[in-house]
Amino acid sequence: MRNGGARRAMAAAAACGFLMAALAACGDTRTEVRHGDVPRPGGPSGTARPSSPAKPTRIPGVGERMWQRIPLGTRQIVAVYGEGENSPDSTLVLYEKQGDSWQENGSWPAHNGKRGWSAHHREGDERTPVGVFSLSDAGGLLDDPGAKLPYTQDEEAFETPYYWDENHWHDFDYVIAINYNRVPGTRPDDPTRPLGQKKGGGIWLHLDHGDGTLGCVSVPGSAMRYLLRTLDPESRPVVVMGDKASLRA
């Protein structure tokens, strides 16, 4: 067991406060195949029936530029729709691919960085990076709730610093690391920053405390437990996040 004070300091420095400019992409270029229902003969008269509503072949609110960054094999998308470039308020929606169409499978209120979003993020700017990032590793202060992602439970590593406000004491009960300037396949609090410290890091999904974060995305505890039990490495989950205008561009 490592020294508690040192670990808490490392967790505080790594988690949610010191971030980087938005990573260009987290996946392959994809060509979207569009599907639609074709009217069929309606019976003996041969009249056509009205076509059924087309099933969504991509998630709403995401433009071509961002959509091209999603890996072809991805079947789970966590979309974070920010209310505005400078707003800490957002909505998180889980989408899962069924056949060739995407279905919504949960929606929750969320918060992002106190100062909003950035496509050119820097350490300490209190903004959340805009982009598409893979999700591969989880952990937390509490025992594994049944996560499908690799889960690291560590009471010292994920304990919030004693000087933080009481509202933040449970922020890291559960976390999912967002692969932004980090090494996928390592525990969420790994301090390695492949693009350098100035680019920031330690961007997580974690429990909400009712206000903006230092750069992470926060959701209610029920949402974190659901995401941990649902996100599956075999589905190559990613997070697509940013203010609504940036996502649509």
Side-chain angles (χ1 to χ4, degrees):
M1 184 70 70
R2 283 171 275 182
N3 179 272
R7 291 305 303 278
R8 285 192 292 272
M10 180 184 296
C16 302
F18 307 100
L19 321 171
M20 85 175 241
L23 223 47
C26 185
D28 310 329
T29 299
R30 62 185 294 156
T31 300
E32 182 62 31
V33 179
R34 302 178 187 277
H35 300 275
D37 293 313
V38 179
R40 294 174 292 177
S45 65
T47 57
R49 296 175 182 168
S51 61
S52 300
K55 295 181 180 180
T57 58
R58 54 196 293 173
I59 68 172
V62 176
E64 188 67 21
R65 179 178 60 85
M66 198 72 73
W67 187 253
Q68 292 293 330
R69 300 180 182 183
I70 300 171
L72 282 170
T74 291
R75 302 190 68 84
Q76 290 179 321
I77 296 175
V78 175
V80 183
Y81 300 100
E83 289 301 318
E85 181 181 0
N86 301 312
S87 172
D89 300 320
S90 53
T91 300
L92 183 147
V93 184
L94 173 63
Y95 296 96
E96 296 189 285
K97 196 171 188 180
Q98 313 218 349
D100 292 325
S101 64
W102 289 92
Q103 305 296 323
E104 182 178 323
N105 194 18
S107 177
W108 300 270
H111 286 101
N112 49 269
K114 293 179 179 179
R115 298 181 62 197
W117 299 88
S118 175
H120 304 284
H121 187 71
R122 290 291 184 270
E123 178 179 316
D125 67 4
E126 297 186 349
R127 292 179 179 268
T128 300
V130 175
V132 178
F133 310 99
S134 61
L135 302 170
S136 59
D137 307 282
L141 181 72
L142 302 181
D143 290 339
D144 185 349
K148 294 182 179 179
L149 298 174
Y151 187 92
T152 300
Q153 191 275 335
D154 191 323
E155 293 183 3
E156 292 188 358
F158 297 104
E159 183 179 5
T160 56
Y162 69 89
Y163 52 84
W164 283 19
D165 187 90
E166 184 177 354
N167 291 337
H168 295 265
W169 286 358
H170 295 284
D171 281 9
F172 308 144
D173 282 0
Y174 299 118
V175 307
I176 298 173
I178 295 173
N179 290 337
Y180 174 92
N181 196 22
R182 70 179 301 272
V183 179
T186 60
R187 52 187 287 159
D189 62 329
D190 184 271
T192 306
R193 301 287 178 260
L195 299 179
Q197 197 66 35
K198 289 183 179 180
K199 298 289 189 178
I203 309 299
W204 295 347
L205 293 171
H206 66 68
L207 268 67
D208 191 58
H209 51 256
D211 201 353
T213 71
L214 295 177
C216 293
V217 174
S218 61
V219 292
S222 59
M224 280 302 301
R225 287 187 289 272
Y226 186 81
L227 291 171
L228 285 166
R229 292 165 181 162
T230 303
L231 294 177
D232 188 339
E234 293 187 1
S235 295
R236 298 180 67 183
V238 301
V239 59
V240 180
M241 60 186 191
D243 58 282
K244 292 177 182 177
S246 294
L247 291 179
R248 288 193 303 266

